[in-house]
Amino acid sequence: MASSASRISRTRLSAGLVAAALGLAALTGCTPAGDQSEAAPSAAPEASAASPSPSASTPAAASGALDRGQLADLFSRIQFRPAQYDTIAAMLESIYPGLTVSDAACLAPFGAGWESAGDAVEWGTSNDRSMTAVVASAPDDATAEGLVAQAEDAIARCADGQELFAMQGAPVTTTVEPFDLAVTGADDVQGWRVTGDVGGSPFALVGATVRTGQNVLALVGWDPETSADYVPQATQLFVDRIAQGAG
């Protein structure tokens, strides 16, 4: 696995505004009236009784592209719901209602705009709605690498000034640190954790952008009681399933 720790270190003070603005609605326990599915009881992703750990049996990084049917099956097997929303933006709005941003590209770390990455792109929330995931199976490695670069660029370029994001007019303050994702079988792994408050309400998010050959995952968990455990577990499960499908 090629580690991206150096990139995380360079951007650890800048990821917060992107993540914080997106996490605010979750702090209030919002489930908007327009939500297209009912929340399921809180539960870890499949096989969560034991956290994934590196092993000799872990699949090597996969390079082949997956089709839309394979991606939908992958989501279902990991207890995520495919085909919930017509667009990625609609999914994010269902979790973080009321978010406004001056530049939509600033939401790239959440997979926003990845619909155009290729024919096979899937997105959905976990069954308990504590996480969102977007997987793009790009036509080639260069396109997949470009999605990772977009996320990096958004974190760096959208860091300065609270005027970039608004949540019901409340200012955002954050503290950001790298989140070490012990993911095996991937070509590129980035993780971050952000804590802070908006209008006096505390929040916490854990996020990951992971590339496995032509396949790129953007996964974010907002629930402070589960995200530190669930995001690494779900990330490893996605990587393993992608490797099985594309190997």
Side-chain angles (χ1 to χ4, degrees), residues 13 22 36 59 64 101-102 116 144 166 183 198 201 209 214:
L13 296 179
L22 287 166
Q36 300 180 30
V101 56
S102 61
S116 62
V183 176
V198 55
S201 297
T209 304
Q214 295 172 227

Side-chain angles (χ1 to χ4, degrees), residues 42-208:
S42 179
E46 174 189 322
S48 63
S51 298
S53 59
S55 69
S57 62
T58 301
S63 59
L66 303 178
D67 61 33
R68 188 68 183 267
Q70 288 175 303
L71 288 180
D73 180 63
L74 181 154
F75 269 65
S76 298
R77 293 171 64 193
I78 303 176
Q79 298 184 19
F80 276 68
R81 301 179 180 183
Q84 286 179 283
Y85 302 97
D86 292 336
T87 65
I88 295 169
M91 177 185 71
L92 295 177
E93 172 65 20
S94 79
I95 301 294
Y96 313 109
L99 172 69
T100 58
V101 56
S102 61
D103 182 355
C106 291
L107 304 184
F110 289 73
W114 283 14
E115 292 99 331
S116 62
D119 293 334
V121 183
E122 190 59 82
W123 55 90
T125 68
S126 57
N127 283 352
D128 67 353
R129 292 182 56 79
S130 69
M131 293 178 284
T132 61
V134 181
V135 178
S137 196
D140 50 56
D141 284 2
T143 302
E145 290 168 357
L147 295 179
V148 176
Q150 288 173 18
E152 294 174 343
D153 177 69
I155 288 172
R157 188 171 49 81
C158 303
D160 297 329
Q162 293 180 348
E163 70 278 2
L164 290 171
F165 302 94
M167 181 63 74
Q168 300 174 354
V172 178
T173 61
T174 62
T175 300
V176 183
E177 60 183 356
F179 187 79
D180 184 15
L181 290 171
V183 176
T184 60
D187 296 304
D188 199 2
V189 179
Q190 301 177 65
W192 45 262
R193 172 171 30 212
V194 57
T195 58
D197 72 83
V198 55
S201 297
F203 68 89
L205 291 174
V206 174

